[in-house]
Amino acid sequence: MNIDMIRAAATRLQGHARRTPILTSPFLDDIAGRRLFLKAECLQHTGSFKFRGGWSAVSALGDNALKTGVIAFSSGNHAQGVALAAREHGAPAVIIMPADAPTIKIENTRALGAEVVLYDRATENRDAIGARLAQERGLVLIKPFDEPQVIAGQGTCGLEIAKDMNALGVTDADVAVCCGGGGLTSGIALALAADAPTLRVRPAEPAGFDDVTRSLASGRIERNSRMSGSICDAIITPQPGDLTFPIMQAHCGPGVVVTEDECLAAMGLAFERLKIVIEPGGAAALAAALFHPDAFAGDAIVAVATGGNVDPAVFARALDTLT
Amino acid sequence: MNIDMIRAAATRLQGHARRTPILTSPFLDDIAGRRLFLKAECLQHTGSFKFRGGWSAVSALGDNALKTGVIAFSSGNHAQGVALAAREHGAPAVIIMPADAPTIKIENTRALGAEVVLYDRATENRDAIGARLAQERGLVLIKPFDEPQVIAGQGTCGLEIAKDMNALGVTDADVAVCCGGGGLTSGIALALAADAPTLRVRPAEPAGFDDVTRSLASGRIERNSRMSGSICDAIITPQPGDLTFPIMQAHCGPGVVVTEDECLAAMGLAFERLKIVIEPGGAAALAAALFHPDAFAGDAIVAVATGGNVDPAVFARALDTLT
């Protein structure tokens, strides 16, 4: 993994991924106690940053692999990113999804042309299912985060943050990133180390699923004790990746842990002040910036809103925080 | 009013107004039956395009006028646009608002540093109140739409649409614009006539408040019979402006009328597919594009989502359309 792979991915994504905007509000600055820049990656194609990694990985394949097709396992956002990237490359896609993933994510993945295989998150092993299907059909497995071309694709988000912050003259800021397995976090960290080295990445995680925060603190890979039961489903993973963890160790500051209620409140404020839709897992970084200001250094903070694929009933709970 | 005023406004807005993104979704393309490009002006500062006109008008004032201050009357979005523009120029702002405007808009206008004067939309005349206050205090009145520098500011949205559609190679498309008094509609129409002359502006209005549609059909200014009772409050005005109507006559195709339920459904789909928050009046153009496809020509359509300042309770009604 290196910065050249991220720059090459940026070239492949040019004209295909959306260059998402940086949004601001004086009301949110007041709450955060510093200038707050929100990178609205929920406005990316398929509603999350995962389209970047999906496109990067699919576009790096040769013609034969594209003809045979790709396979991915995902709680939803990676699924949609890979499905759309595959469809636009004319490649078949099989997506293995947990049966308890939000309905909208399962439906969207099918509507984007992928074959969806559901499994029980509590009793079945998605890796084993993926390996078997990949072997049977000769499909190329696109892992959700611990995969160089995926990390490279997510890193293009970091190149954009570096460019925008450099243009704004922002040099003294933490960059809070909602963190699951660490693909986006490590990709952004590599991009900033190259292009905006005074900015420091800070992983944000939900309480009870803070494997990266604990791993960074202990210096070795720590696991979550459970894998379900959070509204922040998009960023729940067993543990940081073998590729992503060393990158995060080298480049990231300590993790910041937020509650589900803080994520819902951040979603409500993003609705009210920025006019964007964020899903609970995608609001962890904004929640950290708004409700844990003492955890950060600098006169500004960048928060990455990583996705917006949320069921209406959950979003209604976020609206309730405003009244 | 001419294109040079719009270009001059664009220069003054550079670095202050946000260049709002064009958003797309294959799901919305399917519903609309053609490629649909949404200009997300709800992501503009203060949550609506009105910041453009407010900044344009305030930034055109001399030092003495800035010191004395400005006054505006508005159901809300123009108020916030003028208030923030005035604050960033160090100018005092008095805003006259209807007492039944959404709470969030009144609160936001005050929080942006403006003095808010409330009036009863049914019994009091806002023009008279504005004229009296302007005279007593020597304030410069910034009218919400029938004012050249305001039209010029709104027209900058049209310059961006022209640039983006030219870059995408889109030449055969209608451009649906949520229309109140016609400031944005006429500004965009002038900009497109200069920079993308094959695109045609189509005003979109809520049923019962279709003064522009009827005026364009009859060839003379027609009035609405009532001024309240719509969730599309942001685009309810008595009649098209004396300045804006001739411009719309010269450059716009027929108006398209949508129902409130169609606006709520469009808001729901924008939540689900684009991850943005649109207010009812700001969803009229998207509703027209999605639910009245036969009203439009061309293999593509641009819909301008003009604002996102909506109370949570109204937004919850939009979410209900998805279930």
Side-chain angles (χ1 to χ4, degrees):
Chain A
M1 261 332 295
N2 57 53
I3 185 68
D4 293 335
M5 289 179 64
I6 299 177
R7 297 202 202 285
T11 301
R12 296 199 304 280
L13 267 67
Q14 180 76 35
H16 301 288
R18 193 170 281 147
R19 195 186 194 298
T20 53
I22 296 278
L23 303 178
T24 59
S25 161
F27 296 95
L28 298 187
D29 291 351
D30 284 349
I31 298 172
R34 49 172 67 90
R35 284 187 300 164
L36 191 160
F37 300 96
L38 187 119
K39 176 70 166 168
E41 201 59 19
C42 50
L43 302 178
Q44 188 52 262
H45 295 297
T46 70
S48 91
F49 73 95
K50 291 283 190 177
F51 179 77
R52 296 178 187 265
W55 187 279
S56 172
V58 173
S59 65
L61 297 176
D63 287 347
N64 282 342
L66 288 177
K67 196 173 291 179
T68 313
V70 298
I71 185 168
F73 39 84
S74 162
S75 67
N77 285 335
H78 178 57
Q80 291 184 61
V82 170
L84 182 59
R87 185 172 78 174
E88 296 197 4
H89 282 84
V94 175
I95 309 289
I96 305 168
M97 302 182 75
D100 64 343
T103 311
I104 182 178
K105 296 187 181 180
I106 296 173
E107 287 176 359
N108 287 349
T109 306
R110 286 197 176 118
L112 292 171
E115 176 188 343
V116 174
V117 176
L118 297 175
Y119 76 100
D120 184 327
R121 211 196 284 244
T123 63
E124 293 185 282
N125 182 326
R126 68 177 186 181
D127 294 16
I129 297 172
R132 178 175 56 77
L133 281 168
Q135 193 172 24
E136 284 174 7
R137 305 198 198 174
L139 305 168
V140 175
L141 175 65
I142 299 180
K143 290 189 277 186
F145 53 85
D146 222 30
E147 157 64 44
Q149 290 298 2
V150 170
I151 297 171
Q154 321 305 26
T156 62
C157 180
L159 296 180
E160 294 174 9
I161 292 170
K163 192 172 180 184
D164 286 341
M165 291 305 115
N166 288 335
L168 289 164
V170 173
T171 54
D172 181 20
D174 282 341
V175 178
V177 183
C178 309
C179 188
L184 179 66
T185 307
S186 61
I188 291 177
L190 285 172
L192 295 183
D195 286 4
T198 63
L199 303 186
R200 187 168 69 159
V201 170
R202 304 290 302 279
E205 293 182 297
F209 303 89
D210 57 347
D211 51 306
V212 169
T213 300
R214 288 185 289 109
S215 299
L216 288 172
S218 74
R220 61 174 191 211
I221 288 180
E222 309 277 356
R223 288 182 64 84
N224 288 319
S225 55
R226 58 196 171 103
M227 273 296 291
S228 62
S230 172
I231 58 171
C232 298
D233 59 284
I235 59 170
I236 304 305
T237 47
Q239 61 184 53
D242 293 333
L243 291 179
T244 61
F245 182 57
I247 299 170
M248 292 192 282
Q249 273 192 303
H251 297 291
C252 294
V256 183
V257 178
V258 299
T259 67
E260 290 192 355
D261 283 349
E262 288 171 340
C263 290
L264 288 169
M267 291 164 66
L269 288 165
F271 160 87
E272 186 176 42
R273 301 305 183 187
L274 301 176
K275 315 305 174 190
I276 57 169
V277 176
I278 316 182
E279 62 191 47
L286 179 60
L290 292 173
F291 306 124
H292 297 266
D294 294 346
F296 297 98
D299 55 15
I301 185 164
V302 181
V304 182
T306 47
N309 291 310
V310 52
D311 278 341
V314 174
F315 199 76
R317 289 172 58 191
L319 295 179
D320 287 342
T321 67
L322 295 170
T323 53
Chain B
M1 260 333 295
N2 58 51
I3 185 67
D4 293 336
M5 289 179 67
I6 300 177
R7 297 203 202 284
T11 301
R12 296 200 303 280
L13 267 67
Q14 180 76 35
H16 300 289
R18 193 171 281 147
R19 195 186 194 301
T20 53
I22 296 278
L23 303 178
T24 59
S25 161
F27 297 95
L28 298 186
D29 292 349
D30 285 348
I31 298 172
R34 48 172 68 90
R35 285 187 300 165
L36 191 160
F37 299 96
L38 186 120
K39 176 71 168 169
E41 201 58 20
C42 49
L43 302 179
Q44 188 53 263
H45 295 298
T46 69
S48 91
F49 73 95
K50 291 284 190 177
F51 179 77
R52 296 178 187 265
W55 187 279
S56 172
V58 172
S59 64
L61 296 175
D63 287 348
N64 282 343
L66 288 176
K67 196 173 291 179
T68 312
V70 298
I71 184 168
F73 39 86
S74 162
S75 67
N77 285 335
H78 179 59
Q80 290 184 62
V82 169
L84 182 59
R87 186 173 78 174
E88 295 197 4
H89 282 85
V94 175
I95 310 289
I96 304 168
M97 301 182 77
D100 63 343
T103 312
I104 183 178
K105 296 187 181 181
I106 296 174
E107 286 176 358
N108 287 350
T109 306
R110 287 197 176 119
L112 292 171
E115 176 187 343
V116 174
V117 176
L118 297 176
Y119 76 99
D120 184 326
R121 212 195 281 245
T123 62
E124 293 184 283
N125 182 326
R126 69 177 186 180
D127 295 15
I129 297 172
R132 178 174 55 76
L133 281 170
Q135 191 171 23
E136 283 175 6
R137 305 197 198 174
L139 304 170
V140 176
L141 176 66
I142 299 181
K143 289 191 276 187
F145 53 86
D146 222 29
E147 156 66 43
Q149 290 298 1
V150 169
I151 297 171
Q154 322 304 27
T156 62
C157 181
L159 296 180
E160 294 174 10
I161 292 170
K163 191 171 180 186
D164 286 341
M165 291 305 115
N166 288 336
L168 289 164
V170 173
T171 55
D172 181 22
D174 283 340
V175 178
V177 183
C178 309
C179 188
L184 179 66
T185 307
S186 60
I188 290 177
L190 285 172
L192 294 183
D195 285 5
T198 63
L199 304 186
R200 186 167 70 157
V201 170
R202 304 289 303 278
E205 294 181 297
F209 302 90
D210 57 347
D211 52 305
V212 169
T213 299
R214 289 186 288 109
S215 300
L216 288 172
S218 73
R220 60 174 193 211
I221 288 181
E222 308 278 354
R223 290 181 62 83
N224 288 320
S225 57
R226 57 196 171 102
M227 274 295 291
S228 62
S230 172
I231 57 172
C232 297
D233 58 283
I235 59 170
I236 304 304
T237 47
Q239 62 185 52
D242 294 332
L243 290 179
T244 60
F245 181 57
I247 299 170
M248 292 192 282
Q249 273 191 303
H251 296 291
C252 293
V256 183
V257 178
V258 299
T259 67
E260 291 192 355
D261 283 348
E262 289 170 338
C263 289
L264 288 169
M267 292 164 65
L269 288 165
F271 160 87
E272 187 177 42
R273 300 307 181 186
L274 301 176
K275 315 305 172 189
I276 57 169
V277 175
I278 315 182
E279 62 190 50
L286 180 60
L290 292 173
F291 306 125
H292 297 266
D294 295 345
F296 297 98
D299 56 13
I301 186 164
V302 181
V304 182
T306 45
N309 291 310
V310 51
D311 279 340
V314 175
F315 198 76
R317 290 173 59 192
L319 295 179
D320 287 342
T321 67
L322 295 170
T323 53

